[in-house]
């Protein structure tokens, strides 16, 4: 209560600076980008669970395909889910021509011992992953619409090496009006990328930023 009274007195005296509140469209964009990040993490979790089940069934697709959720991998996984008997001719039609692994190696990799339980569990994770991917696609469309007024800023951000598709995240978290920040240091502090200071017994220790902008 004492702290609240003191803050009220400071506010009446005009000694508390206004906090940065981005415009409504930027706040909406922030909600979408943050939710997209969470859904991407959930999708990765489902993919890891599929990896685990395949390993348990002694199906070593990861040893022959760099991404089992690519074009070839998805076709093979769908055939496994449907309980199809995958023969060489059928496998050749499933595998994309850009795949480096040979048909023989892929056939040996999928020659495991998959049970009904494995297929059931794979289907649960596969269907959930598909739902997440559809939702992420819808979010991407909404994010693209909200970015329409900021195409110039997006192009400038895309010109920075390593940014790629993360321009939406930068705009969502910091906005496009840099005049609200007193300096670059204030901006870094707002973004949570300023390392803290920790000193004990005359020794300074390195402290990581308290948060990071996840791309």
């Amino acid at each position: 209560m004492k702290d609240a009274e003191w803050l009220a007195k400071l506010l009446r005296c005009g000694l508390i600076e206004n906090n940065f509140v981005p415009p409504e469209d930027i706040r909406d964009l922030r909600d979408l980008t943050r939710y997209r990040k969470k859904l991407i993490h959930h999708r990765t979790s489902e993919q890891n669970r599929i990896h685990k089940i395949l390993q348990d069934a002694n199906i070593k697709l990861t040893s022959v395909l760099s991404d089992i959720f690519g074009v070839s991998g998805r076709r093979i996984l769908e055939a496994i889910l449907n309980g199809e008997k995958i023969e060489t001719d059928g496998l050749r039609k499933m595998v994309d021509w850009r795949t480096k692994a040979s048909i023989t190696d892929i056939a040996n990799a999928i020659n495991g011992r998959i049970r009904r339980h494995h297929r059931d569990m794979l289907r649960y994770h596969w269907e959930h992953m598909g739902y997440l991917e559809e939702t992420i696609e819808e979010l991407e469309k909404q994010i693209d619409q909200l970015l329409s007024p900021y195409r110039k800023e997006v192009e400038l951000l895309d010109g920075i090496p390593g940014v790629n598709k993360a321009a939406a995240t930068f705009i969502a978290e910091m906005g496009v009006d840099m005049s609200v920040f007193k300096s670059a240091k204030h901006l870094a502090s707002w973004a949570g990328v300023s390392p803290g200071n920790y000193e004990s017994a005359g020794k300074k220790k390195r402290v990581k930023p308290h948060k990071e902008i996840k791309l």
Side-chain angles (χ1 to χ4, degrees):
M1 186 177 295
K2 291 293 184 182
D3 291 338
E5 291 176 356
W6 176 244
L7 288 173
K9 291 179 181 179
L10 293 176
L11 181 61
R12 285 198 299 267
C13 297
L15 297 177
I16 296 180
E17 295 184 1
N18 294 332
N19 193 16
F20 167 55
V21 179
E24 185 178 89
D25 59 337
I26 297 294
R27 297 199 302 271
D28 293 345
L29 180 63
R30 181 184 298 174
D31 290 338
L32 292 173
T33 54
R34 289 183 178 180
Y35 187 50
R36 177 185 62 179
K37 181 186 71 175
K38 289 185 179 296
L39 292 185
I40 290 174
H41 287 173
H42 291 324
R43 181 184 62 182
T44 302
S45 297
E46 292 293 2
Q47 291 176 345
N48 291 337
R49 294 185 183 102
I50 292 174
H51 275 286
K52 183 178 181 298
I53 294 171
L54 293 177
Q55 293 296 325
D56 186 63
N58 199 34
I59 296 177
K60 308 296 183 180
L61 267 179
T62 53
S63 64
V64 291
L65 298 179
S66 59
D67 181 15
I68 67 171
F69 300 103
V71 176
S72 302
R74 286 177 181 265
R75 291 173 181 169
I76 295 172
L77 287 174
E78 286 178 348
I80 293 174
L81 284 171
N82 296 329
E84 300 178 12
K85 184 179 179 180
I86 304 176
E87 298 180 349
T88 304
D89 293 338
L91 185 61
R92 189 173 286 107
K93 295 178 181 178
M94 297 178 192
V95 177
D96 189 79
W97 64 272
R98 292 167 294 186
T99 303
K100 295 182 179 180
S102 65
I103 299 298
T104 303
D105 291 339
I106 297 175
N108 293 332
I110 62 176
N111 186 23
R113 183 176 176 272
I114 186 165
R115 298 183 284 115
R116 174 65 180 272
H117 173 71
H118 291 141
R119 286 196 177 93
D120 290 341
M121 294 302 298
L122 283 173
R123 182 169 285 105
Y124 295 143
H125 299 312
W126 184 264
E127 290 177 354
H128 189 209
M129 186 185 71
Y131 166 75
L132 292 172
E133 289 178 339
E134 289 178 1
T135 307
I136 291 171
E137 187 176 350
E138 292 178 5
L139 287 174
E140 293 284 359
K141 293 178 181 178
Q142 293 186 44
I143 290 171
D144 190 61
Q145 291 177 359
L146 288 176
L147 286 175
S148 297
Y150 308 109
R151 291 303 174 192
K152 182 179 180 181
E153 288 81 2
V154 171
E155 292 177 1
L156 291 173
L157 288 169
D158 285 340
I160 302 175
V163 171
N164 297 328
K165 295 183 179 180
T169 304
F170 282 103
I171 294 176
E173 295 296 332
M174 295 175 289
V176 295
D177 182 12
M178 297 297 104
S179 64
V180 299
F181 302 104
K182 294 182 179 179
S183 65
K185 292 183 179 179
H186 283 81
L187 173 60
S189 179
W190 167 263
V193 294
S194 297
N197 293 320
Y198 176 72
E199 183 175 348
S200 179
K203 296 181 180 179
K204 291 186 177 181
K205 298 182 180 180
R206 183 177 180 273
V207 180
K208 294 181 179 180
H210 66 279
K211 66 176 181 178
E212 296 178 358
I213 295 179
K214 300 295 185 180
L215 306 180

